[in-house]
Amino acid sequence: MSCSGGKSSAPYGSWKSPITADIVSGSDKHLEAFTVDSHGHLIWLETRPAQSGRAVLVKESPKPGEPPQDITPTDFNVRTTVHEYGGAAFGVYGDVLVFSNFDDQRLYKQLLHSPDSGPVPITPDYGGPVVRYADGVFDGRFNRYIAVREDHREFDAKPTTEIVSIALNGKTTEEPKVLISGNDFYAFPRMDMKGERLAWIEWSHPNMHWDKAELWVGYISESGDIDKRVLVAGGCPTIVESPTEPLWSSKGELFFITDRNTGFWNIHKWTEDKNEVLAIHSLNAEFTRPFWVFGNRCYDIIERKEESAIIACSYRQHGKSYLGVINQAKNSFCSVDIPFTYISNILASGQILYIEGASSVLPTSLAKVILDDHMSDVVEFSIMWSSSSDIDKYISYFSLPELIEFPTDVAGQNAYAYFYPPCNPEYNGSQEEKPPLLLESHGGPTGEAYGTLSLSIQYWTSRGWAFVDVNYRGSTGYGRAYRERLFGKWGIVDINDCCSCAKYLVDEGKVDGKRLCITGCSAGGYTTLASLAFRDTFRAGASLFGIADLKSLSDSMHKFESHYIINLGGNEIALNERSPINFVDRFSCPIILFQGLEDTVVQPEQARKIYHALKEKGLPVALVEYEGESHGFRKAESIKYTIEQQMVFFARTVGHFAVAEDVTPTHIDNFDQVPVS
C-alpha cells in the first residue's frame, strides 16, 4: 500500500479521514464461532454492535447468490458466560441445533430445517442465569448433549464446574446428569465417532490452563456413565505441559496439542494400547493459543481414504501465522500459502477447509479454502464472511504494520511490536515535526497483538498518528519461555517493555518524543496506568476498564482468574507495591478512563477510585461510564464514543493540533486549572 500522491501539508493528527468513528463502530462485527450442518452449509455466530452486541447465528443460503439467513429468533441472544468470557455457545448435529441463551443461560434446542420450529429449552429454569453451559458435543449413542456446566447456585463467587449430559428427547427438561466432577475446571469434552470414549481437559488452582493441565480419556459404559478413565498427558511430575484441543479421527485416533519438552504447543497423538504420547511434527512454533474462551480449533482432520490422517493446522512463528498440512502416511509436513497472516480457527468439511483469519489488508474474515489433490497448493480461496465487507474503498488509507524487534532492560532479551506509520494519500506532515505516537498494550496479559487490519488502528494512522502494538515479554505466540517472563513480574516487565518500545521509536526518529501516549484494555489498561504512575515516558493515557488496585482485584476476582493475579504479580506486598492507586502522587499527566457498569471482571470501582484520586490531586482526568456494557464494549454507540473521545482528549491535552471532525469533548476535570504543555 502506498501513501504517495498529490498531498497537502497539515499537522500530524489533524488530517481528515473517511475512516470515521461510525465506520469503526459499525465494522466491529465479531465472528464468535462457525460450523457446517448435515448438508454442508456453513453456519456462523456473529455479534452485532448495531444490536447492542447481540450474538446471532447465521446460515449460508443453499442457493448460490442469495443472502445468508438468520437462524436465531429476534428475542434470543446466543452467548454463554461460563468463566465470564464464554465461547462455544452452540453445537449442530444433523438437523439439531443446541445453543445457550444469554439472558437466562439455559440451553435450547432448535430444528434447523423446520421453519416453524422455535427454540425449546432443554435445561431447567433456575429463576435466573445461575447455571451456565459451554463447549457442548452431541452423543448420538445416547441421544444427549455433553457440555461443561458452571453452577453458581451454591456460591456465586466459587461456582462448581463439571461435565454433564443433557437429554435431547424433547419431552421434559430434566436435571442434567453429572459425568465428570471434582476438579476446578473442565474444557474440550470430545466424543469419539462410536460414542465409546470421551476425551476432556481439566486443570486446578492455582494454574491457568496454559500453565499446567491434564488430558483424560473416559470409557462410556452401557448406562452412559464413565466407568474407567486414563490419564493421557499432564500427569508426569517431571514434565510441565498444557495439553489442549483433543480431537478424534473417524478411525478412532486421538490427537491433541501440548507443549511438553520443547515449550511450544505442537500436535501429538495418543497410542492407546501403550498409553504413550508421540509428537506428530515438532517445530519451534505455536500450533494453538491460550485458553481464554471455549472453542479454540486450531487444527482439524481432512478425512480421506488414506490409512493415516491428514491434518490441516495453523501455526504461529516469528509474528506470523501459517497454514500447514501434515500427512502421516507420507511422514510429511508442508506450508500452504494463503492470504492470511493470522489464523485463529480451522474446520474441515470433507475436502473443504473453512479458515478464520486476517492479514494487514484483510480484516477478520472466514474463508473457504480448497486444496489440490497433493494438499500443497490452493485451488480456491473465497471470503464467506467479513467483519468489514466494504473495506476496499479505504485501502489507500491503510498503514501497513512493520514487525519490529527492540532491546529490553535485560541484556540478551528482546521484545516485539507492530509499528504502523501515519498514512493518508491526501496529507503529509509538516517537515518541522514528527508524528505523535499511541502505544497499545494488549489485554490478558497472556495475550498477543497480531499485526492484522483493524479499523480501530487505521482510524489513528489515517489522521496522522503513529501507532504501535506491543508484544511485551509475557505475550503469547513466542513459546512458554517468553510467556513466563512475566510470571511474578507483572507491572515490571510489561511497563519496561512498553517504555523501551516507545524510546526505541523515538531514537529511530519515527515519532515525537514529547507526544507519546499509551492506551490499553483490561490488563492493558493496568499497564497503561502503571506506566503513567511508575515511569515518565508517556505524556497522556487512556485506560479502558483497566486495573488500578491489584490487591482489590485479586480479592474480588471471579473463579477462573482467582489465582492469576497472584501468579503474575506476586504476594500481597508486591501487589500493593505495583498498584497505581497506591502511588497517585507519582502521576503527572492527563488520563481518560472508560468503564462498563456491568463489568464483573474489572469492576467499576476500579475506575472510580483512580478517577477520584487523580481528580483530588488536581490532574486533568475524565471518566466515561457506560450503562449496559460489561468487560469489553459491544454497543456501536459505546465503541464510537470511546475512540472519538480518546482522540479529542489527546489532541486537547498533548497533541498541539485540532482534530478534523466536529466532536463535542467530554468534560476533563482540572483541565482549565492545570496548564498542560
Side-chain angles (χ1 to χ4, degrees):
M1 230 56 58
S2 172
C3 288
S4 61
K7 296 187 177 186
S8 301
S9 179
Y12 287 112
S14 69
W15 303 350
K16 293 181 180 180
S17 170
I19 304 175
T20 65
D22 282 312
I23 298 297
V24 173
S25 61
S27 73
D28 208 32
K29 188 170 60 171
H30 185 67
L31 183 64
E32 299 285 345
F34 56 95
T35 189
V36 294
D37 66 10
S38 58
H39 300 280
H41 298 137
L42 186 64
I43 295 174
W44 64 88
L45 179 64
E46 64 180 35
T47 57
R48 297 172 175 174
Q51 297 180 18
S52 299
R54 175 173 168 257
V56 180
L57 281 163
V58 184
K59 180 182 176 182
E60 172 191 10
S61 174
K63 297 181 180 180
E66 291 191 357
Q69 306 161 345
D70 285 3
I71 297 173
T72 307
T74 55
D75 50 347
F76 285 87
N77 183 356
V78 182
R79 181 183 167 195
T80 178
T81 56
V82 177
H83 296 171
E84 303 303 327
Y85 300 116
F90 75 98
V92 174
Y93 181 75
D95 187 36
V96 179
L97 162 69
V98 172
F99 68 89
S100 170
N101 184 48
F102 176 66
D103 288 341
D104 57 10
Q105 289 296 296
R106 298 175 74 184
L107 289 180
Y108 288 77
K109 182 175 77 172
Q110 185 177 353
L111 300 180
L112 289 174
H113 301 103
S114 299
D116 298 329
S117 173
V120 176
I122 59 173
T123 53
D125 183 358
Y126 299 108
V130 294
V131 178
R132 310 166 184 178
Y133 305 87
D135 210 7
V137 292
F138 290 85
D139 179 6
R141 181 182 170 195
F142 291 97
N143 192 28
R144 59 184 180 175
Y145 192 68
I146 296 175
V148 176
R149 179 177 73 176
E150 187 178 74
D151 190 343
H152 293 249
R153 285 176 290 179
E154 291 289 328
F155 189 18
D156 185 50
K158 296 181 179 179
T160 301
T161 307
E162 301 159 320
I163 295 178
V164 301
S165 66
I166 300 99
L168 293 174
N169 55 31
K171 298 176 182 178
T172 58
T173 54
E174 302 172 2
E175 184 69 23
K177 180 180 182 179
V178 176
L179 297 178
I180 304 162
S181 63
N183 215 330
D184 292 317
F185 302 101
Y186 295 94
F188 295 105
R190 298 295 183 262
M191 185 69 70
D192 72 5
M193 300 293 284
K194 295 181 179 179
E196 297 174 348
R197 296 168 296 176
L198 182 72
W200 71 89
I201 300 294
E202 63 179 66
W203 69 100
S204 58
H205 289 314
N207 298 308
M208 296 298 284
H209 166 265
W210 51 82
D211 297 324
K212 194 174 189 301
E214 297 175 346
L215 168 61
W216 289 80
V217 169
Y219 294 84
I220 312 295
S221 69
E222 292 300 321
S223 64
D225 295 315
I226 306 285
D227 67 352
K228 187 181 82 169
R229 61 183 69 189
V230 175
L231 178 56
V232 174
C236 179
T238 62
I239 299 176
V240 177
E241 63 178 321
S242 172
T244 186
E245 292 194 55
L247 183 63
W248 297 95
S249 74
S250 61
K251 298 176 177 66
E253 305 162 299
L254 178 62
F255 297 90
F256 63 98
I257 297 175
T258 191
D259 59 346
R260 59 167 56 191
N261 300 325
T262 67
F264 287 91
W265 274 309
N266 284 192
I267 300 176
H268 290 67
K269 179 182 177 181
W270 179 46
T271 303
E272 184 175 11
D273 57 346
K274 298 179 181 179
N275 193 23
E276 292 180 348
V277 170
L278 301 174
I280 297 299
H281 182 76
S282 294
L283 191 67
N284 286 349
E286 297 282 57
F287 282 72
T288 189
R289 58 188 180 277
F291 177 89
W292 277 109
V293 298
F294 290 94
N296 288 352
R297 188 161 188 156
C298 298
Y299 73 106
D300 205 352
I301 298 169
I302 302 173
E303 298 292 352
R304 300 183 76 180
K305 295 179 180 179
E306 286 85 350
E307 291 183 3
S308 299
I310 295 178
I311 297 173
C313 55
S314 66
Y315 63 98
R316 193 154 180 84
Q317 192 174 47
H318 307 308
K320 182 180 178 181
S321 293
Y322 301 86
L323 174 63
V325 175
I326 301 173
N327 189 321
Q328 285 195 95
K330 297 180 180 180
N331 193 29
S332 66
F333 174 88
C334 70
S335 180
V336 181
D337 187 31
I338 62 173
F340 292 150
T341 57
Y342 171 68
I343 299 172
S344 53
N345 292 302
I346 295 177
L347 175 68
S349 177
Q351 303 301 302
I352 299 172
L353 296 177
Y354 292 101
I355 301 178
E356 178 188 358
S359 75
S360 60
V361 294
L362 286 173
T364 299
S365 306
L366 178 56
K368 177 181 179 180
V369 179
I370 300 177
L371 303 180
D372 64 7
D373 291 339
H374 300 290
M375 297 285 152
S376 58
D377 288 306
V378 174
V379 174
E380 177 184 334
F381 181 94
S382 55
I383 301 297
M384 305 294 291
W385 179 95
S386 174
S387 60
S388 306
S389 57
D390 60 348
I391 206 165
D392 286 350
K393 67 177 70 173
Y394 309 114
I395 197 165
S396 63
Y397 291 84
F398 292 165
S399 174
L400 299 184
E402 172 193 353
L403 178 62
I404 61 173
E405 183 175 350
F406 58 91
T408 69
D409 60 308
V410 178
Q413 290 188 9
N414 289 350
Y416 309 91
Y418 294 97
F419 175 70
Y420 300 78
C423 181
N424 188 309
E426 299 179 12
Y427 293 96
N428 274 323
S430 62
Q431 295 182 352
E432 293 76 24
E433 66 168 347
K434 294 188 184 300
L437 173 72
L438 181 59
L439 180 146
E440 181 165 13
S441 171
H442 62 67
T446 309
E448 184 182 359
Y450 299 118
T452 56
L453 180 60
S454 165
L455 290 187
S456 296
I457 294 176
Q458 303 299 329
Y459 177 87
W460 294 90
T461 57
S462 64
R463 284 165 173 75
W465 280 75
F467 193 102
V468 67
D469 217 351
V470 181
N471 279 322
Y472 47 77
R473 289 166 294 166
S475 302
T476 61
Y478 297 89
R480 179 182 282 267
Y482 190 82
R483 190 171 71 242
E484 291 186 346
R485 286 176 183 167
L486 196 64
F487 210 75
K489 298 181 180 180
W490 190 31
I492 299 175
V493 167
D494 50 322
I495 65 174
N496 283 346
D497 287 0
C498 287
C499 293
S500 294
C501 182
K503 182 179 182 301
Y504 172 83
L505 292 172
V506 172
D507 292 344
E508 290 289 307
K510 295 180 181 293
V511 300
D512 184 350
K514 295 182 179 180
R515 291 188 291 174
L516 303 177
C517 300
I518 184 170
T519 187
C521 302
S522 190
Y526 164 71
T527 302
T528 294
L529 294 173
S531 296
L532 298 177
F534 304 127
R535 303 289 187 275
D536 59 2
T537 302
F538 300 98
R539 297 300 180 95
S543 170
L544 284 68
F545 41 97
I547 305 147
D549 188 339
L550 292 176
K551 177 61 169 58
S552 172
L553 180 75
S554 180
D555 291 343
S556 63
M557 183 56 80
H558 59 107
K559 178 185 174 183
F560 181 59
E561 296 179 86
S562 58
H563 291 259
Y564 186 40
I565 307 304
I566 294 174
N567 291 344
L568 289 169
N571 59 25
E572 183 174 335
I573 295 174
L575 294 183
N576 284 326
E577 289 177 344
R578 299 178 200 171
S579 293
I581 191 64
N582 297 329
F583 298 90
V584 173
D585 59 311
R586 298 190 185 181
F587 282 89
S588 60
C589 66
I591 300 172
I592 187 167
L593 308 152
F594 300 89
Q595 180 68 45
L597 295 180
E598 295 183 8
D599 194 334
T600 59
V601 179
V602 178
Q603 298 176 359
E605 188 61 22
Q606 290 275 344
R608 289 171 177 169
K609 284 172 65 176
I610 195 71
Y611 162 71
H612 288 298
L614 294 171
K615 180 181 177 182
E616 184 176 346
K617 177 180 168 64
L619 285 178
V621 62
L623 172 61
V624 177
E625 297 182 324
Y626 296 117
E627 296 280 355
E629 292 285 15
S630 55
H631 198 66
F633 304 148
R634 289 173 170 259
K635 299 179 181 180
E637 57 268 29
S638 304
I639 298 167
K640 175 186 176 182
Y641 193 78
T642 299
I643 197 167
E644 283 184 335
Q645 292 304 321
Q646 283 188 79
M647 174 70 73
V648 173
F649 181 85
F650 291 145
R652 295 176 67 199
T653 56
V654 300
H656 307 305
F657 59 82
V659 297
E661 290 86 359
D662 183 15
V663 176
T664 302
T666 192
H667 175 70
I668 304 174
D669 293 292
N670 302 319
F671 182 65
D672 294 328
Q673 289 76 19
V674 179
V676 181
S677 60

